[in-house]
Amino acid sequence: MARFFLPSRQIHANRGTIAGQELGHLRKVLRLKPGDRITVFDDTGWEHEAVICSLAAAQGEIEILSSRQAQRESPLQITLAAGLTKGEKFEFVVEKATELGVQTIVPFTSTYAVPKLDERKIASRTERWRKIALSAAKQCGRTVVPEVLPLCTFQELLIRPSHEGVKLFFWEQEAAQSLDDVYKKHRDAKAVTLAIGPEGGFSSAEAELARAQGFDSVQLGRRILRAETAAVTALSLAQFLWGDLG
Ligand code: SAH
């Protein structure tokens, strides 16, 4: 059954109102009609079976028939900070990170990051990443849509509040410490922040700064992975060690 995201503020008792991107998906893409059944999930972890009551250009009304609390979210809170890469590659990372259960995605620019974007491009790409996160969350059965934060600099990323648990940065020049080593030091971690560099990697100065701000450097084996491979691998391993994979 088709799944739609409906924030809880759009649900009152057993009635819900669908608008915007979700309404377009329902009416224009799937061509659903009043009487059709759908699944909706809200932003509080609940999933509802519903029937479409009415559909108009501006909004649709649904009636909720039953609700349950779905258990598909990982106990591990993951923040993925990813260096900006070109168009499709970053979109791939947003989609796969959502499937792998990330909570927050922080895109950042850094010394060796390409492309350099102007304000307008940044806004339109951020908008696009948010749409990708929403549709990936719908497709994979998640009950949380990951938040895609505004693009920041690597320095800004480093000074974010440190409630995000164990802070790691994946450095292609780190020879010693593996993720398993980190796991042995922090077995009970409930949250991790994973920073992955752009295609050009991190500079030594950036690595220094990251350490000074409490990030631990980690290697992902002896081969150099592409940025998007590194992101998917780091997420999978973190979910395996602390979360709900494997
Ligand atoms: N241009 C760099 C490689 C960058 S790879 C070089 O040639 O050295 C892009 C990002 O993926 C890196 O910044 C890092 O965060 C991650 N990465 C790739 N391979 C890695 C590895 N073996 N260990 C740790 N991180 C890795």
Side-chain angles (χ1 to χ4, degrees):
M1 207 181 309
R3 295 180 90 240
F4 298 89
F5 176 60
L6 196 60
S8 50
R9 65 184 143 77
Q10 286 169 232
I11 301 175
H12 298 285
N14 66 338
R15 308 290 282 198
T17 308
I18 295 194
Q21 183 186 342
E22 292 302 83
L23 180 65
H25 185 206
L26 190 149
R27 283 180 75 217
K28 301 219 182 85
V29 183
L30 299 175
R31 299 186 177 280
L32 296 178
K33 301 265 179 309
D36 287 337
R37 299 284 183 103
I38 58 171
T39 302
V40 299
F41 63 103
D42 63 26
D43 46 1
T44 63
W46 283 83
E47 199 168 70
H48 315 274
E49 299 304 324
V51 59
I52 301 171
C53 302
S54 64
L55 282 181
Q59 65 177 54
E61 298 292 333
I62 61 164
E63 183 187 339
I64 291 172
L65 305 172
S66 63
S67 305
R68 62 175 174 270
Q69 213 157 13
Q71 301 290 353
R72 289 187 218 107
E73 292 300 321
S74 174
L76 180 68
Q77 297 274 325
I78 307 182
T79 299
L80 174 71
L84 197 59
T85 47
K86 288 190 198 131
E88 285 177 6
K89 295 203 164 177
F90 204 88
E91 292 173 9
F92 174 89
V93 167
V94 172
E95 182 179 278
K96 300 309 157 203
T98 303
E99 291 169 32
L100 288 164
V102 81
Q103 213 76 27
T104 310
I105 298 173
V106 193
F108 67 84
T109 56
S110 57
T111 314
Y112 299 139
V114 275
K116 307 282 179 216
L117 301 175
D118 61 35
E119 292 278 324
R120 203 170 48 84
K121 273 255 170 68
I122 290 170
S124 71
R125 285 194 67 186
T126 307
E127 180 79 358
R128 182 151 173 73
W129 296 329
R130 289 180 176 151
K131 284 188 176 157
I132 290 170
L134 171 59
S135 51
K138 286 163 66 176
Q139 179 273 328
C140 74
R142 284 194 65 174
T143 50
V144 169
V145 181
E147 190 181 8
V148 180
L149 299 187
L151 183 70
C152 66
T153 63
F154 187 60
Q155 281 77 1
E156 285 165 342
L157 166 76
L158 296 179
I159 56 167
R160 280 169 57 83
S162 61
H163 57 261
E164 283 147 349
V166 181
K167 299 190 293 183
L168 305 173
F169 85 103
F170 291 82
W171 198 31
E172 53 280 16
Q173 291 179 40
E174 166 64 44
Q177 181 161 251
S178 70
L179 203 53
D180 196 41
D181 297 330
V182 175
Y183 174 69
K184 286 179 180 133
K185 289 193 284 183
H186 303 278
R187 280 177 197 274
D188 297 331
K190 301 278 181 286
V192 291
T193 296
L194 312 173
I196 307 284
E199 218 46 79
F202 287 120
S203 68
S204 306
E206 285 167 340
E208 279 303 309
L209 264 180
R211 285 213 190 86
Q213 293 296 334
F215 277 71
D216 230 349
S217 67
V218 185
Q219 52 105 340
L220 282 173
R222 278 168 297 187
R223 291 171 291 279
I224 300 279
L225 308 177
R226 294 261 191 188
E228 66 275 20
T229 317
V232 168
T233 307
L235 285 166
S236 307
L237 291 172
Q239 287 291 30
F240 175 70
L241 292 168
W242 290 281
D244 64 354
L245 268 192

